[in-house]
Amino acid sequence: MKNKLFLFTIFTALVLALAACGGGDGATGENEGENTNDAATTYEPEDIKETDVCEVCAMAVADNEHATQIVLTNERSIKFDDIGCMYEWIEENGEDDIGTAFVRDYNSEQWFDFTEGTFVFDETIDTPMAYGIISFSDANEAEKFIEDFGKGDMLTYSDLANHEWVMHKEMMGHDHDDHDDHDTDEHNDEEHDEHD
Amino acid sequence: MDKKLLGVIVMIFILLIIPSNSNAEHQLLQQRIDNAKTGDTIEIPAGVYEEPIVIHKAVNLIGNEDVLFHIESDEPAITIAANHVTLQHISINYNSNEDGQAAILMQSSENKLTHIDIDSENRGILLDEAHNNLLTNITLKGNEELPIPKRQRGIDLWKSHENTITYAHISFVEDGIYIESSSGNIVHDNIATHSRYGYHLMFTKETELFANESYENISGMMIMGTNGTQVYENILQHNQKNVQSLGLLLFDVTNSRVERNDIAHNRLGIFVEDASENEITNNDVHNNFIGLQFKHAEENNIHHNAFSANVVQGLAEESMNNTTNNNYWSDHNGLDLTGDGVSNLAYKVDPFYLHLTNKYPPYRLLFQAPGFLFLEKMMHTPAEQQLIDYAPLLVSPLQTPEMSAENNWATLIISTILFISSLFIIYLGVKQR
């Protein structure tokens, strides 16, 4: 009988401890939720590890200029292989739990705040999930990219809300009869290489 | 003494002669290709070739086991620029500083590559807008020492249609066979191992993948943004290098047919995400950590599959209107009132565990803990978010009558042995008294 009482006490203690942990997390979450308005709270981006996979499309996240991440208010970092995947996540989950969303500069691959970026879109820019958007911390660099690439639209963070986020799967409507014209198509090898 | 001196002189002579000889052979080979008439067959003499070649004529190049292209160049080892080229029985050892360069670059159609052995730190074979080609009996090996992010693809198809890739054995690369923006390709009877993804489709149409095998990769088959893909009779096993390793991923996939695949010993057997109108039937999904997972998947038809011995048989997340009836779930305690082999009790998978661990990963430690199961029962999840089989099968649809007869025999024999041995033990015990 004593043993049973002892076991019951331990079980109750464990359940309470577990509940406390859960409650604790929730409470921290709430506090941190409030902290989003607090300029003093800063969130640091994590390095991309070989084991990281995109939260949206389940692909491995390559440690390159296309990687993006959101550090949540509970300081957990979720990673994406393409800005498009991150945007899709934000659309679905809202911004309440976001500490800071980070993107990488196309040239330097340095992390910076998503909301402070300048973006270039062209459907022929190859990104891992073919959203065709790349990010720059410096607007001049973005302009220079468009100049070198020969085309592309420059977008600010607020423009992204009006952007049509789609994967550009150009061959989905492919017609088998146009095989013969492939020699005349200009193909940019460099672009292709970037695809992951 | 004289003999030794003579030996040294001969050695020096050989060392001097070999490179120039291989160079001469190469020049001769390129010249022979250039001078050949359409349809000519050129037999490549045995030897080591150290300069890249370009084939811009419809010729048949036939090597043998002693033909090796040892190429260190920014150019591909072999460029096939003409249609109707046959290349067979050669080995290539390729190393390039040019990122993304391939050992064999094919930019033309109706070619045939057969019995090619490639050892490459770079891309193996690139089909760049190349159509109706046949690649068969290809052995392709990357550098085992390189970490996966630094490796490159084995066979890579870009805007290339109606090619057939078969009997290729690919290992230690990034993605074994990668097909992007292409349609009507057939990939069968290949083996991909020790790579990132065995087979990876991006934005393809009407691709057929059958009888392929994938082992020890991060993930077996990644099928993304495709339409009309047919995936059948593949073996996707032991892909569990990563915490998110998958047997088969269907992401943003429509109208595909996934049938009779053997998906086992992966972290996650089949992951269906953002996918709709797919037919998933007669697959044997066993011994995975999670058998089947849905996320934002709608209107898929999943029936007559066998889910057995997976730690979690299935999980569903925000998925609606999928038909998941008539599957076999090995952990289902069914009740068959009508004797039709179909349980009258539904099989339900609750997404509670997945939801919670997504938000708070440390809770993974409490997987299947009694308290957790109790909480799962307490927190009611709406039926449309659950994976429910209203008519689970009581016997695996993949079990043939012969198999069950064999099983019955095995059970009978084992129980007879046990029965006899227990009688014997009892008899011995009684005798001792």
Side-chain angles (χ1 to χ4, degrees):
Chain A
M1 190 63 195
K2 257 188 179 177
N3 271 350
K4 272 189 183 169
L5 193 67
F6 178 65
L7 277 175
F8 179 74
T9 318
I10 287 188
F11 179 74
T12 319
L14 274 174
V15 168
L16 286 175
L18 189 62
C21 285
D25 270 11
T28 323
E30 276 163 36
N31 285 342
E32 279 162 3
E34 284 162 25
N35 283 345
T36 45
N37 300 325
D38 182 356
T41 311
T42 53
Y43 298 91
E44 290 299 322
E46 274 183 10
D47 291 340
I48 300 289
K49 298 184 286 289
E50 207 177 299
T51 50
D52 284 326
V53 292
C54 176
E55 191 76 9
V56 169
C57 76
M59 278 243 297
V61 180
D63 191 4
N64 62 18
E65 68 278 16
H66 300 295
T68 62
Q69 68 175 297
I70 292 174
V71 182
L72 298 169
T73 48
N74 63 9
E75 293 189 4
R76 190 181 142 226
S77 163
I78 50 177
K79 314 222 171 65
F80 307 89
D81 63 343
D82 191 303
I83 296 182
C85 286
M86 181 165 82
Y87 208 86
E88 208 170 283
W89 189 94
I90 297 171
E91 290 275 280
E92 194 187 318
N93 296 281
E95 295 182 11
D96 294 350
D97 293 336
I98 297 178
T100 307
F102 292 97
V103 292
R104 271 178 161 170
D105 181 70
Y106 184 77
N107 295 322
S108 69
E109 295 187 14
Q110 293 296 312
W111 294 107
F112 67 93
D113 190 333
F114 181 37
T115 58
E116 290 166 11
T118 305
F119 306 88
V120 174
F121 163 72
D122 190 89
E123 60 179 57
T124 61
I125 298 175
D126 276 359
T127 66
M129 291 305 289
Y131 282 95
I133 290 200
I134 49 176
S135 45
F136 294 86
S137 54
D138 179 353
N140 295 330
E141 296 272 326
E143 247 170 56
K144 192 173 176 298
F145 175 87
I146 294 172
E147 217 175 279
D148 296 344
F149 192 67
K151 53 186 170 177
D153 299 329
M154 203 156 95
L155 307 166
T156 61
Y157 173 71
S158 52
D159 291 337
L160 295 180
N162 303 320
H163 176 73
E164 194 191 352
W165 290 88
V166 285
M167 290 183 267
H168 297 277
K169 333 169 185 177
E170 56 185 302
M171 293 317 291
M172 293 303 281
H174 174 75
D175 178 2
H176 287 211
D177 296 327
D178 65 7
H179 289 175
D180 295 331
D181 64 8
H182 69 271
D183 287 331
T184 53
D185 284 354
E186 196 187 317
H187 171 55
N188 188 336
D189 262 338
E190 198 182 317
E191 275 175 45
H192 178 204
D193 294 342
E194 280 167 17
H195 254 279
D196 212 354
Chain B
M1 192 64 188
D2 275 350
K3 272 187 183 171
K4 268 192 180 173
L5 189 69
L6 192 67
V8 171
I9 291 170
V10 169
M11 282 296 285
I12 291 170
F13 181 72
I14 289 172
L15 284 174
L16 285 174
I17 204 93
I18 281 175
S20 60
N21 189 23
S22 94
N23 215 6
E25 287 281 11
H26 159 261
Q27 279 172 2
L28 200 63
L29 182 61
Q30 183 67 61
Q31 214 169 20
R32 280 174 72 190
I33 296 166
D34 294 345
N35 296 336
K37 286 195 207 89
T38 300
D40 276 1
T41 297
I42 300 169
E43 283 190 21
I44 310 172
V48 179
Y49 296 82
E50 293 182 332
E51 295 289 329
I53 60 167
V54 180
I55 306 168
H56 43 70
K57 250 181 205 165
V59 291
N60 306 314
L61 274 182
I62 318 288
N64 56 54
E65 59 266 29
D66 296 322
V67 172
L68 172 67
F69 285 81
H70 183 86
I71 309 289
E72 290 192 13
S73 166
D74 289 348
E75 300 301 315
I78 297 175
T79 304
I80 302 175
N83 298 340
H84 301 285
V85 170
T86 301
L87 184 62
Q88 73 182 63
H89 280 296
I90 59 160
S91 300
I92 302 173
N93 202 332
Y94 182 65
N95 192 0
S96 174
N97 293 324
E98 188 75 17
D99 196 28
Q101 196 59 279
I104 296 181
L105 169 64
M106 194 188 286
Q107 297 166 308
S108 52
S109 302
E110 313 276 352
N111 303 300
K112 188 176 169 189
L113 296 189
T114 167
H115 295 91
I116 312 284
D117 195 341
I118 301 174
D119 222 315
S120 171
E121 281 201 9
N122 298 65
R123 232 184 278 216
I125 301 174
L126 171 61
L127 269 65
D128 184 359
E129 301 189 42
H131 319 293
N132 294 93
N133 299 291
L134 171 66
L135 278 66
T136 178
N137 291 88
I138 311 282
T139 307
L140 211 156
K141 192 168 170 284
N143 183 353
E144 203 174 324
E145 306 297 321
L146 280 180
I148 284 176
K150 293 211 181 318
R151 294 187 199 162
Q152 299 193 26
R153 294 170 194 143
I155 298 177
D156 188 347
L157 274 65
W158 164 255
K159 287 191 183 178
S160 297
H161 317 297
E162 289 165 21
N163 299 287
T164 301
I165 303 170
T166 176
Y167 300 109
H169 192 155
I170 306 170
S171 54
F172 300 106
V173 295
E174 187 196 38
D175 298 348
I177 295 177
Y178 178 87
I179 306 180
E180 182 175 341
S181 300
S182 303
S183 65
N185 292 294
I186 298 173
V187 177
H188 69 91
D189 289 287
N190 302 289
I191 301 174
T193 68
H194 301 91
S195 300
R196 185 179 76 157
Y197 307 146
Y199 307 84
H200 189 183
L201 307 185
M202 291 280 280
F203 315 135
T204 64
K205 199 176 166 189
E206 286 157 23
T207 310
E208 222 172 302
L209 294 161
F210 64 91
N212 298 292
E213 297 174 27
S214 167
Y215 307 105
E216 308 283 346
N217 300 300
I218 286 183
S219 291
M221 278 186 182
M222 302 287 275
I223 299 177
M224 312 178 77
T226 68
N227 190 349
T229 310
Q230 300 199 41
V231 183
Y232 56 96
E233 292 167 16
N234 299 288
I235 300 174
L236 311 173
Q237 295 192 347
H238 295 281
N239 300 295
Q240 43 182 280
K241 282 188 175 172
N242 186 300
V243 67
Q244 306 284 358
S245 283
L246 305 158
L248 171 67
L249 170 77
L250 302 175
F251 175 80
D252 187 26
V253 168
T254 48
N255 296 317
S256 70
R257 181 167 70 92
V258 178
E259 269 184 23
R260 303 187 302 280
N261 298 288
D262 184 356
I263 302 174
H265 302 282
N266 307 292
R267 294 278 309 162
L268 205 167
I270 304 178
F271 188 16
V272 185
E273 185 180 2
D274 284 328
S276 58
E277 294 169 49
N278 300 294
E279 186 86 8
I280 302 174
T281 63
N282 289 294
N283 297 289
D284 194 0
V285 185
H286 59 101
N287 296 90
N288 302 286
F289 180 67
I290 298 172
L292 169 70
Q293 185 171 347
F294 281 136
K295 191 175 172 189
H296 304 156
E298 289 177 13
E299 291 173 15
N300 298 289
N301 203 359
I302 294 105
H303 59 91
H304 292 91
N305 300 288
F307 295 93
S308 46
N310 301 295
V311 177
V312 183
Q313 294 276 41
L315 289 170
E317 220 184 334
E318 291 163 50
S319 298
M320 278 175 274
N321 300 329
N322 296 295
T323 310
T324 48
N325 295 337
N326 290 125
N327 292 290
Y328 170 73
W329 310 88
S330 62
D331 59 337
H332 176 59
N333 294 318
L335 180 66
D336 184 8
L337 295 173
T338 49
D340 57 358
V342 177
S343 170
N344 296 84
L345 298 174
Y347 179 85
K348 291 182 187 174
V349 177
D350 200 302
F352 173 74
Y353 171 75
L354 188 71
H355 275 164
L356 199 67
T357 52
N358 266 353
K359 207 158 187 185
Y360 304 108
Y363 278 112
R364 284 179 188 161
L365 289 172
L366 297 173
F367 173 72
Q368 292 277 323
F372 229 88
L373 296 175
F374 175 69
L375 279 176
E376 193 173 282
K377 293 253 182 300
M378 260 178 52
M379 317 290 266
H380 180 69
T381 311
E384 67 271 15
Q385 291 209 5
Q386 294 187 14
L387 197 160
I388 305 176
D389 187 338
Y390 289 104
L393 302 177
L394 289 171
V395 179
S396 165
L398 308 174
Q399 194 171 337
T400 57
E402 296 86 56
M403 275 163 76
S404 57
E406 269 172 33
N407 281 348
N408 287 346
W409 273 110
T411 318
L412 185 70
I413 291 167
I414 291 169
S415 22
T416 313
I417 292 170
L418 284 174
F419 180 66
I420 292 171
S421 37
S422 55
L423 281 181
F424 188 62
I425 291 165
I426 292 167
Y427 170 73
L428 283 182
V430 171
K431 208 178 166 188
Q432 271 181 9
R433 276 190 175 184

